[in-house]
Amino acid sequence: MRAGSPRLLREINDRAAIDALLRNGPLTRSELEGIIGLSKPATAQLLTRLEAQDIVRRDGLRGGGRGPRAQLWAVNGGLAHVAAVDLTPDSVDVAIADISGATLTEHHALMPKGTDVLAVFNEAMGKAASDANLQVSDLHHVVVGSPGAVDPATGQLGFAPHLPGWEGFDVVGRLHDMLGTSVTVENDVNLVALEEMITGRAVDVRDFVLVWPVDAVGSAVVINRVLLRGATGGAGEVDWMRVPDLSRQDTGIDRAGTRYGDLLSNSSVTKLARSHGISARHALGAVTKALSQGTAGREFLTDLARRIAVGVANVVSVVDPELVLLSGEVAQAGGSMLCELVAAELRRLVIPRTPVELALVAGHAVRAGAMHSALAVVREEVFGLPANDMLPPLHQIRR
């Protein structure tokens, strides 16, 4: 055995133990021993070593009754902290967690029209950090999920005219300077796709397309468990595709072609709903009503599915994925019926018989994906744990 090998083996075993504790939460020595495959003495020495370095800490006892209670061990969460942000035209939604993944605080702030968006963002970050008894500069990494895409060459946010105040400058560099810590800005739908790979419907899927239909239209393309980004970061920005309107009802849309995002905007979908006798203030309400209105409701949903499918067909024709996932509030409201209708329309348009399913991750999906991304970056920096293959190469767009 070459010189230095024992040290290398210790480092490998240490990383394996830290990884096991991060994945499983607090463990007893014997539980950790079973996971990493070391002997009882070697595991005990490992824990002593990591405790001396303040990497792991004792975390209560497990057991009870007549038997002995075993000491639990956990990663010291205070070693580093991260923030995950879901940025929309209307709000800033922040969560802060320690390196173990434990959420310390959540903060939601509105983004009124005409305001200084950077000032509002900075104030929201400061409030969230304060609630977690931290300074913003204490955060080791911040991942911001936003509409549009960051050009890795310039740091500028593109494809996001509906996010006023955020275009025309190096947004990554500006946030880095303002917050005093490293920042990644990632497309929001890409982060939802990431979360689907980690905890959702795509855990065991290698190639898939995730589509966020209606209103803020977007998609993410995953090939061999890696997000497709494109030269300027704009891969998946289907909002800008020009497509025909295949719905049966004529609502004034140019039949020769219009922007996919315009075809599925809130106003366009509610207008389509009204043409079927369904009145609603927004697309979500229209879809919710349609599900309870029999034939008229199904006809509207079928027309909506035609509009969704015409854009999805373009992506499926090029990528030929295993699966198409529909995500977002409107997709969740439409549920399995909308998925079935989109799949049926898709089969009329393309040769692949790609299944269409509802994304599993709901709620704060963008923020959850941002949190997993931020934790992957910091755990690599602090512990030397390699980022999981499914995570996007965030270091390529960091400043």
Side-chain angles (χ1 to χ4, degrees):
M1 186 175 289
R2 293 178 299 173
S5 292
R7 179 180 178 181
L8 177 61
L9 287 174
R10 281 196 300 271
E11 291 177 354
I12 292 172
N13 290 335
D14 288 354
R15 284 197 294 269
I18 293 166
D19 185 56
L21 290 169
L22 289 172
R23 288 177 182 274
N24 298 281
L27 296 169
T28 65
R29 179 200 51 74
S30 61
E31 289 169 341
L32 182 61
E33 176 187 321
I35 292 172
I36 63 178
L38 292 181
S39 66
K40 180 177 179 179
T43 305
Q45 291 173 7
L46 178 151
L47 287 170
T48 299
R49 182 167 63 249
L50 293 180
E51 184 181 27
Q53 297 171 22
D54 203 27
I55 293 175
V56 302
R57 290 181 173 179
R58 298 167 192 259
D59 190 46
L61 301 172
R62 174 171 293 162
R66 297 182 179 178
R69 304 181 72 191
Q71 178 67 58
L72 285 168
W73 298 86
V75 170
N76 176 11
L79 289 172
H81 298 88
V82 299
V85 184
D86 182 5
L87 175 65
T88 74
D90 303 316
S91 65
V92 183
D93 188 21
V94 186
I96 292 177
D98 65 28
I99 200 169
S100 75
T103 300
L104 303 181
T105 189
E106 299 175 343
H107 178 66
H108 186 84
L110 297 178
M111 186 80 74
K113 288 181 171 57
T115 59
D116 182 342
V117 293
L118 286 172
V120 173
F121 184 93
N122 193 35
E123 183 179 352
M125 291 298 299
K127 178 62 168 62
S130 176
D131 289 347
N133 295 317
L134 299 168
Q135 300 292 323
V136 173
S137 57
D138 293 332
L139 299 171
H140 284 65
H141 194 64
V142 176
V143 174
V144 181
S146 77
V150 170
D151 186 330
T154 66
Q156 293 194 23
L157 185 67
F159 305 95
H162 50 305
L163 199 65
W166 290 95
E167 292 188 294
F169 59 91
D170 179 357
V171 63
V172 182
R174 185 77 63 85
L175 290 180
H176 172 275
D177 294 341
M178 184 174 73
L179 301 178
T181 190
S182 65
V183 178
T184 294
V185 179
E186 176 61 274
N187 174 261
D188 50 4
V189 183
N190 279 354
L191 290 172
V192 176
L194 168 63
E195 195 63 17
E196 285 292 326
M197 283 192 278
I198 296 173
T199 65
R201 194 82 66 186
V203 169
D204 298 316
V205 180
R206 299 207 68 79
D207 305 313
F208 71 96
V209 174
L210 184 140
V211 180
W212 189 290
V214 185
D215 199 17
V217 179
S219 76
V221 179
V222 175
I223 304 297
N224 199 28
R225 305 288 288 174
V226 176
L227 280 164
L228 183 65
R229 297 185 172 280
T232 63
E237 290 294 340
V238 294
D239 181 282
W240 295 83
M241 285 193 307
R242 194 164 185 84
V243 296
D245 181 10
L246 300 184
S247 61
R248 299 291 170 82
Q249 291 291 98
D250 185 358
T251 60
I253 296 290
D254 184 355
R255 294 289 179 170
T258 189
R259 201 180 106 192
Y260 190 44
D262 290 340
L263 188 66
L264 290 171
S265 68
N266 247 314
S267 59
S268 289
V269 173
T270 53
K271 190 173 183 179
L272 180 63
R274 283 196 301 271
S275 74
H276 286 278
I278 299 171
S279 178
R281 288 187 301 172
H282 44 67
L284 178 60
V287 170
T288 302
K289 279 188 176 182
L291 290 170
S292 63
Q293 292 196 4
T295 302
R298 187 174 180 87
E299 288 176 353
F300 159 63
L301 290 174
T302 301
D303 255 358
L304 178 59
R306 291 187 181 107
R307 288 188 173 183
I308 295 171
V310 71
V312 175
N314 290 331
V315 182
V316 168
S317 295
V318 174
V319 177
D320 188 19
E322 298 172 51
L323 178 65
V324 171
L325 290 176
L326 300 185
S327 185
E329 284 188 334
V330 172
Q332 291 291 332
S336 59
M337 177 179 288
L338 183 60
C339 289
E340 290 167 7
L341 292 172
V342 171
E345 294 303 320
L346 199 57
R347 286 193 289 271
R348 302 176 194 273
L349 299 173
V350 294
I351 293 175
R353 294 299 183 252
T354 310
V356 179
E357 297 182 13
L358 192 65
L360 192 60
V361 179
H364 299 288
V366 174
R367 203 181 70 186
M371 183 60 74
H372 271 117
S373 299
L375 287 170
V377 170
V378 173
R379 288 169 178 177
E380 183 175 23
E381 291 177 353
V382 175
F383 299 132
L385 295 175
N388 195 299
D389 290 342
M390 70 182 68
L391 293 168
L394 293 172
H395 59 280
Q396 292 186 7
I397 61 171
R398 291 170 63 207
R399 291 290 186 273

